[in-house]
Amino acid sequence: GENVEQHPSTLSVQEGDSAVIKCTYSDSASNYFPWYKQELGKRPQLIIDIRSNVGEKKDQRIAVTLNKTAKHFSLHITETQPEDSAVYFCAASDASSASKIIFGSGTRLSIRP
Amino acid sequence: GAGVSQSPSNKVTEKGKDVELRCDPISGHTALYWYRQSLGQGLEFLIYFQGNSAPDKSGLPSDRFSAERTGGSVSTLTIQRTQQEDSAVYLCASSFSGDPGETQYFGPGTRLLVL
């Protein structure tokens, strides 16, 4: 089955700087890659996703890139703000059961004022 | 409209007892997922229901864990003879039809503590 590795596990950046979180996946047949944000004590919420037929997708200050050949994808947050502090999870669809997604272990992002 | 709801929000139980966790998906959503989130860890897939199809139980960690979904809506996750390592937040999510690439909407979770 699919395996998703995520790093770093923790990340601290100065407010206004950029943050990058990287993930790798094992199954080349995976074709859907969502990113979820989980604020402290709250439920995970989808912030952006990308499909395998696209190399990059952007939504305001966040962007995701996908390299199918290397089987890795990344989340980029520019001009970070205090409200960006949260745990971010990447995920990849499981080719054996495409409606199932396998999550990475999460990155705790802290924005320093 | 109403989102995914779960109950109870917190559950404290003694080792060896059985517990039942409930999930109410978004109305009209046919796909329902259960995940487990241990402290500081990622989201571990447990089980997936899609309409009337047989559930995908491939993530259940042991035969002490079971889940059912009656009437295609509400789901119950049951943990028998709980162990301390079962302590975690149990999250439920639903999606409209379970088609690949659909957004999963999460509930607030049930925080389970086994003493």
Side-chain angles (χ1 to χ4, degrees), chain B:
Chain B
V4 178
S5 61
Q6 292 185 243
S7 61
S9 54
N10 291 281
K11 176 71 177 180
V12 180
T13 191
E14 293 179 348
K15 177 181 173 181
K17 300 281 190 182
D18 297 352
V19 295
E20 284 190 352
L21 313 179
R22 177 186 167 109
C23 172
D24 283 85
I26 293 172
S27 178
H29 280 196
T30 62
L32 187 148
Y33 311 77
W34 282 100
Y35 296 89
R36 178 169 69 176
Q37 185 174 28
S38 301
L39 187 63
Q41 299 299 309
L43 297 161
E44 176 189 6
F45 168 81
L46 297 178
I47 188 169
Y48 158 61
F49 294 91
Q50 168 52 48
N52 296 321
S53 303
D56 178 345
K57 304 179 182 181
S58 60
L60 294 179
S62 77
D63 58 9
R64 295 187 297 105
F65 287 72
S66 63
E68 63 177 23
R69 189 180 185 195
T70 53
S73 181
V74 172
S75 176
T76 302
L77 177 69
T78 301
I79 309 173
Q80 296 179 309
R81 304 181 302 281
T82 52
Q83 303 294 312
Q84 290 183 331
E85 59 262 30
D86 299 335
S87 297
V89 176
Y90 289 82
L91 289 159
C92 171
S94 71
S95 66
F96 181 68
S97 63
D99 285 345
E102 273 190 341
T103 300
Q104 294 185 21
Y105 296 88
F106 282 83
T110 292
R111 186 175 300 277
L112 174 66
L113 178 61
V114 182
L115 300 176

Side-chain angles (χ1 to χ4, degrees), chain A:
Chain A
E2 177 65 277
N3 182 52
V4 178
E5 302 283 340
Q6 181 172 349
H7 52 94
S9 57
T10 60
L11 179 61
S12 177
V13 301
Q14 193 75 33
E15 183 178 350
D17 288 350
S18 296
V20 180
I21 301 170
K22 299 182 179 181
C23 290
T24 60
Y25 61 99
S26 60
D27 192 336
S28 57
S30 293
N31 58 11
Y32 174 64
F33 307 90
W35 286 85
Y36 282 79
K37 175 183 180 182
Q38 186 176 29
E39 297 179 29
L40 188 62
K42 297 191 175 180
R43 69 192 76 187
Q45 290 192 306
L46 180 75
I47 55 171
I48 195 168
D49 57 15
I50 192 167
R51 299 171 197 276
S52 58
N53 59 347
V54 176
E56 183 174 0
K57 184 176 178 181
K58 190 173 181 180
D59 182 4
Q60 300 183 351
R61 295 186 299 105
I62 60 174
V64 58
T65 58
L66 171 65
N67 183 326
K68 289 175 58 181
T69 303
K71 291 188 285 187
H72 66 71
F73 55 115
S74 302
L75 178 72
H76 305 251
I77 306 174
T78 58
E79 301 172 18
T80 53
Q81 301 172 4
E83 55 265 34
D84 295 330
S85 293
V87 178
Y88 292 80
F89 294 98
C90 64
S93 59
D94 187 320
S96 67
S97 174
S99 299
K100 186 167 80 177
I101 56 175
I102 304 301
F103 285 85
S105 55
T107 296
R108 182 174 300 278
L109 175 63
S110 301
I111 307 301
R112 303 190 303 271

